[in-house]
Amino acid sequence: MTKKEFLELAKKHQEGECSEREKEILFSFCDKVQFKNLLNTWNVSEEEQTRIAVLRKIRFTVRSHKKQQKRKSNLLKIKAFALIIGLLITGYYLQYTTKTIIPTNAITLKLEDGSIAVIDEKSETNSFLNKKGNLLGVQKGKRLVYEKGKATKKVVYNTLSVPYGKRFELELSDGTTAYLNAGTSIKYPVKFLNGMERKVFITGEAYFKVTRDSAHPFIVNADKLNVKVLGTAFNVQAYPEDTVSEIVLVEGSVALYKDSKKTGNKTLLTPGFKASFNRQNSAITTKKVLTGVYTSWINGELVFRNMTFENILKKLERHYNIEILNNNSKLSKTLLNASFGNESIAVILESLKENYGIEYVISGKKITINN
């Protein structure tokens, strides 16, 4: 750009007549390194020097403003980026940590891929899907019902766990219903295989109403004991802390055996009888009982007949999800009889106090029994 062209553009800029394109050309020329050297060689008037000084000041102000805006823009970009990273980290944390934090008093369903779903008892309807997105079953309040039908290729297991203080119902894909007592876990096939036995694994206590299917015997495994049926109703109690597992037959017939690979030595049970399996010596004994005493828990009732005081306390712990410390050693092995409906634990303790003279202290969810 010549001196004359520059001075004419500078004058137009001063008078506010420059177009945007002319401003770009003028400021671009001012930004060149050789511009300062050109000013020293140009013979300009005092008025033109003033005009050039004003123009350079304007240019400096514009450039400073652009730099400031750019810094602000970069800062906003950094903040936005940091926010996005923060949200991604938070999302990752929520996805991979919160889903593993399961409330201790929650009913849970462990799926085939190892993931755990929490069952909300207050939910009227809730669907559960497998890892392929196929429907497994539908929860309706305190009952989970699996899709009917048999699998064709392989057995896939789910595990339903019920904590202390709660009960739940499960309907398997063959129509069999299992009523689960407090502190119970059951592992079962999502669908049973054609031509194979129907086998489930139980820890705790459950009452089964088995759908009859002579071609596919139903087997309940309770640790070392197996209960084989075709179609019947019976109660299994096999808590890990107990040394004896109990099977009470309400209707039908069952066969008990200790080793699933050696089913020759079976103990047959008829309705109205209870089989007790001693886990320490693997002995099985049977005796006639009132089955209602052993199945009353299904309706929320507690009935104890000829039961030791220490075993009664265990059942109360499970039923009410509490901790009981027993310092009354004299009463521990005493056989007691008692029946309760849906009373609170405080009412039950008062009843035990009146009938058996116990003393107790309640502190939150912990109860201490004294002499």
Side-chain angles (χ1 to χ4, degrees), residues 142-145 160 167-171 177-180:
K142 294 186 178 183
R143 184 179 179 88
L144 177 59
V145 180
L160 183 63
R167 300 186 303 278
F168 201 72
E169 296 179 21
L170 171 68
E171 184 177 317
T177 297
Y179 299 84
L180 309 179

Side-chain angles (χ1 to χ4, degrees), residues 148-168:
K148 299 295 186 292
K150 290 185 173 62
T152 55
K153 294 182 181 179
K154 66 176 182 177
V155 175
V156 174
Y157 288 96
N158 281 182
T159 302
L160 183 63
S161 299
V162 181
Y164 281 4
K166 296 186 178 182
R167 300 186 303 278
F168 201 72

